[in-house]
Amino acid sequence: MSRLTQAVRSHRETTRNRRELSRAISNAATPAMRDELIIVAQRHGGFGQR
């Protein structure tokens, strides 16, 4: 697999994960759950630089 293909796949995966995380935060049942999701995302780099 070429470097370009790997880069595209990696970017797509990162984008998909970020989109799913944003959706989960938007649909969180309570503000506390939303805050927990944000904290976990920050610890694991979910909202890092683009």
Side-chain angles (χ1 to χ4, degrees):
M1 194 178 320
S2 72
R3 283 187 186 183
L4 180 59
T5 304
Q6 287 177 340
V8 169
R9 285 187 179 181
S10 175
H11 176 62
R12 285 182 180 169
E13 181 181 356
T14 301
T15 302
R16 183 172 44 249
N17 289 342
R18 189 174 286 131
R19 192 178 327 120
E20 290 173 5
L21 183 59
S22 292
R23 187 177 302 131
I25 290 169
S26 295
N27 295 332
T30 64
M33 178 59 77
R34 184 182 61 94
D35 292 344
E36 281 292 319
L37 288 169
I38 291 170
I39 290 169
V40 170
Q42 288 173 341
R43 286 185 184 161
H44 294 283
F47 284 133
Q49 291 181 335
R50 292 185 179 188

